[in-house]
Amino acid sequence: MSAGAQQQSVAEAEDRSAVGVQGKRPPGEVEVLARTVEALLFLGGDPLGTRELADAAQVDELEVAAALALLSEQYAPGRRGIQLREVAGGYTLATDPACEEAARRLFNRPRTATLTPAQAETLAIVAYLQPVSRPEITRIRGVSADSAATTLLERGLIEEAGRSQFGAVLYRTGTQFLKLFGLRSLSELPDIAQWDPAPEEQAELRERLLRAGEARAEGGPAPA
Amino acid sequence: MSAGAQQQSVAEAEDRSAVGVQGKRPPGEVEVLARTVEALLFLGGDPLGTRELADAAQVDELEVAAALALLSEQYAPGRRGIQLREVAGGYTLATDPACEEAARRLFNRPRTATLTPAQAETLAIVAYLQPVSRPEITRIRGVSADSAATTLLERGLIEEAGRSQFGAVLYRTGTQFLKLFGLRSLSELPDIAQWDPAPEEQAELRERLLRAGEARAEGGPAPA
Amino acid sequence: MSTVAALDLDLDLFSGPFDLLLTLVLREEIDLLELQLAELVLAYLDHLEARGELDLETATEFIVLVAALLELKSRLMLAGEDEEQLLDIEPAEAAEELLARMLDARRYRSAAEHLRGLLQAQDGVRFRSAPAPPHLLRAAPVPADGKLDPAQLGTALGRLLVVAPAINLRHIAIPRVSLAERLSHLRALLRRGRFSFEEAVGDADRMTVAITVFALLELYKRGEAAWEQSECFGEIHIQALAPPAPAVVARGAGGA
């Protein structure tokens, strides 16, 4: 086989997977279906069987098989960063193991240990009032703290401490809390007085926080 | 140009994006890096910036840019079921809208709930004025924005950004907003002044607000 | 011409078109403090009823204008040194403010339409939401000790202690009592233990008594309090369903 003929056959093989770009002929049905199957496999985390794919694309399983054959060529090992895999129960897209080192570095990159405003407020309430329930945190903040609390739980900064008599989950600071703030014990939490807008107030902290929160929820005057 | 020659040029064009399959020459560095970047984009849920990609792949940002250029060719619209999109200051993979019908059948749910007028207005105010508080949003809209803001928060379109001096929670838009609205950055939002009424219309409005009173001052009946 | 401008009003204080009212208020020929905005809203609702259709554009404009009046009114009721200054707004100035308000509302309504269009254009674009394989998610590295500053917690709590300035209600004839105020009153009593309804209201006026009953129902609904009444018109005893969690006072230097 001459070099020219070889290149021509390569061109033919390539042409099947690159239809529609050059605009020389409309993409065939298999190519269009392959794109749909590709999109479905991309979205679905779990493997999809030919039956499911056929139902979603409203074609028969034979057509899906042809589309999958085309895709498995496009996703042949070593060609892309993603591979088409046939696993128990169907097909799925997964990353090429050769790229996994980089993926590990991506997921385990050192994250800056900062708190969002909502997280800082939620954590401060838990630290100073523990144990404290989620509804109480919401009442003090005037807005829900659900997603902030979830993140703090995941990061080990707060943990559950049983339930209140009304069934609400109680929180206290978690194992990572003292470590991250460089404290030896909770008694080393700074005295709130220096940030207190009304240090002369005699009422206890919890009472005052709840009162301020309820005033906010009522809606103070709009800022001019 | 003969049919053969034309096909050959196609083969050459294709060859750039399909290196490594024929095994005729080892894949170049850009091609290898493009695979890694593709895998990272496939795994990472949020859009990834060139800096993050470069750190994970342990190359410099210029190399990542070259790999992304190659990928954007491979993922040119209409070519595959997946597209490479530049949103929220980074890159991400998403499905081609042409595959939406099938995706809807498979997952049995619409892609995203649309926005109600109240939610869209609240989102617009946050997008343009961020950081902005709930009372301020209410002031502009004339009606409460509480439930709209809560829904937008739950959907991750807006997020908390500290508190105003009056203690009201401030909001800003998040990555999810840019991602879902297909924006690269907030600067892609058109200038708010573009929706100002024409000067004549403004003059008419101003006139309206004082006219009736003037009429009364003259002692005549107010024009209807 | 907008129908809001021509809306004919017949209020206690004023009869004539809405725009005239607006102007008279701006020119301080009608005291905003004496104008019942609720009456104004009811008149508008009657007007809508009579027309049998809702013109969204006009309705929005009406709401924005009434809200602006409401805010002007509440600013008049605000106590403070700048009260004089607020009352001194020139009619032309106030008209400019109302105009600015209407323009703002229009801008953001148009921007909202634009955003809805953007979202519509993204219809069918789906992102992958499958989690990354666990073997790639090695346990996240534990950040080094002492990375976060405890002062961050103090400032956060300090901000939460800020109480928004209260609105002075002395201009309003009817004494007002809010549900939230009654709720915190009852909660404070609950923390001390069992108490009677009589103790909770003292010799307050009927409005306060009614709102207190409402607050009690709310606490019952939330599972915070229960009550009992042994006979008709008898004493009502209220108690917490659970003792409130022990309070922790602010830690003083050296740890309290």
Side-chain angles (χ1 to χ4, degrees):
Chain A
M1 199 191 241
S2 76
Q6 195 174 28
Q7 200 157 40
Q8 196 167 330
S9 78
V10 167
E12 273 161 15
E14 273 311 291
D15 202 39
R16 285 164 57 206
S17 61
V19 178
V21 183
Q22 290 79 26
K24 285 195 298 190
R25 64 174 172 84
E29 274 171 41
V30 183
E31 284 85 357
V32 171
L33 181 59
R35 283 186 225 153
T36 301
V37 170
E38 185 181 28
L40 296 176
L41 294 175
F42 169 76
L43 288 172
D46 294 325
L48 294 169
T50 49
R51 183 72 258 154
E52 282 167 286
L53 290 166
D55 286 346
Q58 295 194 314
V59 294
D60 65 39
E61 286 186 74
L62 275 178
E63 290 170 277
V64 166
L68 283 166
L70 180 54
L71 279 178
S72 67
E73 231 172 84
Q74 293 172 2
Y75 281 96
R79 185 159 175 179
R80 316 177 51 89
I82 310 171
Q83 295 182 351
L84 177 67
R85 298 226 183 109
E86 192 178 351
V87 291
Y91 294 83
T92 189
L93 292 176
T95 50
D96 182 338
C99 305
E100 290 191 353
E101 257 322 296
R104 274 199 197 93
R105 276 192 294 269
L106 178 73
F107 291 125
N108 297 299
R109 63 190 184 276
R111 290 194 174 82
T112 45
T114 53
L115 299 172
T116 66
Q119 287 163 6
E121 279 183 17
T122 307
L123 187 55
I125 295 168
V126 173
Y128 282 90
L129 299 186
Q130 56 190 310
V132 62
S133 71
R134 208 182 263 216
E136 248 179 322
I137 298 171
T138 302
R139 256 165 66 200
I140 291 171
R141 297 195 60 231
V143 287
S144 156
D146 289 3
S147 81
T150 305
T151 311
L152 293 172
L153 276 168
E154 277 167 9
R155 291 172 63 176
L157 286 165
I158 63 172
E159 60 189 28
E160 292 189 9
R163 287 184 177 264
S164 77
Q165 306 251 351
F166 313 124
V169 178
L170 292 170
Y171 296 110
R172 63 174 172 231
T173 48
T175 49
Q176 294 298 319
F177 177 78
L178 292 175
K179 238 172 105 119
L180 262 171
F181 282 89
L183 301 170
R184 270 167 304 184
S185 81
L186 284 174
S187 65
E188 284 191 349
L189 275 174
D191 184 354
I192 184 74
Q194 55 177 311
W195 298 284
D196 192 338
E200 70 287 351
E201 263 281 2
Q202 286 303 306
E204 57 171 272
L205 187 60
R206 187 187 222 95
E207 176 84 9
R208 291 182 56 203
L209 284 168
L210 285 167
R211 224 191 300 141
E214 276 152 23
R216 270 193 299 276
E218 248 181 285
Chain B
M1 197 190 243
S2 76
Q6 196 172 29
Q7 202 156 39
Q8 195 169 329
S9 78
V10 167
E12 273 160 14
E14 274 311 291
D15 202 37
R16 284 161 56 209
S17 59
V19 179
V21 183
Q22 290 80 25
K24 284 196 298 192
R25 65 174 170 85
E29 276 172 38
V30 182
E31 284 84 358
V32 171
L33 180 59
R35 282 187 228 152
T36 301
V37 170
E38 185 181 30
L40 294 174
L41 294 177
F42 177 79
L43 291 171
D46 278 330
L48 295 169
T50 49
R51 183 71 258 154
E52 284 166 295
L53 290 166
D55 285 346
Q58 296 191 316
V59 294
D60 65 40
E61 286 186 75
L62 276 178
E63 291 172 273
V64 167
L68 283 166
L70 179 57
L71 279 178
S72 69
E73 235 171 81
Q74 295 172 2
Y75 281 97
R79 185 157 177 180
R80 319 179 49 89
I82 310 172
Q83 294 181 350
L84 177 66
R85 300 177 68 85
E86 194 182 346
V87 285
Y91 295 83
T92 192
L93 296 175
T95 57
D96 183 333
C99 307
E100 176 59 10
E101 281 286 301
R104 196 170 293 167
R105 276 191 291 270
L106 181 67
F107 297 104
N108 199 21
R109 63 180 153 84
R111 180 192 73 105
T112 42
T114 50
L115 295 175
T116 65
Q119 288 161 4
E121 263 179 54
T122 305
L123 186 57
I125 294 168
V126 175
Y128 278 95
L129 297 183
Q130 56 189 307
V132 63
S133 72
R134 232 181 247 210
E136 272 177 282
I137 300 169
T138 302
R139 188 167 176 259
I140 291 171
R141 294 194 57 228
V143 287
S144 160
D146 286 8
S147 80
T150 304
T151 310
L152 293 173
L153 273 170
E154 276 164 12
R155 289 172 63 178
L157 290 170
I158 62 173
E159 57 193 30
E160 286 185 32
R163 285 183 188 267
S164 76
Q165 60 176 125
F166 299 97
V169 173
L170 296 169
Y171 297 107
R172 63 174 172 231
T173 53
T175 303
Q176 191 72 356
F177 166 71
L178 295 173
K179 191 173 154 183
L180 287 182
F181 284 73
L183 297 168
R184 267 173 289 194
S185 77
L186 285 173
S187 64
E188 284 195 346
L189 286 176
D191 185 355
I192 191 76
Q194 93 165 59
W195 292 295
D196 280 357
E200 316 84 70
E201 209 185 328
Q202 279 193 47
E204 196 193 303
L205 274 169
R206 184 179 286 113
E207 173 73 9
R208 228 195 79 201
L209 288 171
L210 281 168
R211 185 177 40 206
E214 298 299 336
R216 190 188 186 214
E218 288 157 21
Chain C
M1 169 55 77
S2 158
T3 49
V4 170
L7 170 63
D8 237 327
L9 297 167
D10 187 13
L11 313 176
D12 286 349
L13 206 63
F14 165 88
S15 25
F18 178 75
D19 262 21
L20 177 57
L21 172 70
L22 209 56
T23 317
L24 292 177
V25 165
L26 293 180
R27 293 164 66 92
E28 292 178 36
E29 288 178 39
I30 285 183
D31 188 350
L32 190 52
L33 288 173
E34 290 173 28
L35 180 68
Q36 290 227 18
L37 291 175
E39 211 188 344
L40 185 58
V41 173
L42 286 177
Y44 183 63
L45 291 177
D46 284 346
H47 167 74
L48 284 182
E49 191 83 23
R51 280 174 57 95
E53 58 173 323
L54 179 66
D55 173 4
L56 217 52
E57 189 73 17
T58 324
T60 312
E61 194 182 305
F62 178 79
I63 287 168
V64 168
L65 285 173
V66 169
L69 285 178
L70 199 59
E71 196 197 317
L72 272 178
K73 187 167 176 171
S74 64
R75 270 159 66 181
L76 290 177
M77 294 190 290
L78 271 177
E81 289 156 22
D82 48 355
E83 186 172 348
E84 290 304 309
Q85 201 186 329
L86 280 173
L87 289 168
D88 273 350
I89 299 178
E90 288 295 312
E93 234 176 277
E96 283 301 324
E97 184 168 341
L98 282 188
L99 177 70
R101 216 52 99 61
M102 286 169 66
L103 292 182
D104 247 2
R106 282 184 182 211
R107 276 181 202 122
Y108 292 107
R109 245 183 301 145
S110 307
E113 270 319 298
H114 177 73
L115 287 185
R116 277 155 70 93
L118 282 183
L119 192 60
Q120 188 66 38
Q122 299 297 311
D123 194 28
V125 177
R126 287 186 191 235
F127 298 94
R128 193 175 139 87
S129 58
H135 71 278
L136 294 179
L137 298 168
R138 224 187 278 142
V142 178
D145 296 358
K147 264 284 171 59
L148 293 169
D149 183 0
Q152 215 184 335
L153 300 176
T155 45
L157 217 55
R159 274 196 307 272
L160 289 171
L161 282 170
V162 174
V163 180
I167 294 178
N168 186 327
L169 300 175
R170 69 196 149 90
H171 293 275
I172 298 177
I174 316 161
R176 290 288 158 94
V177 55
S178 77
L179 180 60
E181 186 266 316
R182 289 282 94 187
L183 276 173
S184 56
H185 174 62
L186 290 178
R187 281 186 180 125
L189 288 173
L190 280 174
R191 275 183 213 109
R192 275 180 231 149
R194 190 178 152 98
F195 62 93
S196 74
F197 188 75
E198 216 41 53
E199 292 170 60
V201 294
D203 52 2
D205 58 279
R206 285 173 60 195
M207 178 64 93
T208 307
V209 173
I211 303 286
T212 309
V213 171
F214 199 67
L216 208 49
L217 285 168
E218 182 66 22
L219 287 179
Y220 179 73
K221 196 177 80 187
R222 295 189 195 183
E224 292 180 43
W227 64 51
E228 55 188 38
Q229 187 179 27
S230 47
E231 54 176 322
C232 223
F233 299 112
E235 191 79 332
I236 301 172
H237 292 284
I238 300 134
Q239 62 183 46
L241 265 184
V248 175
V249 280
R251 283 161 179 81

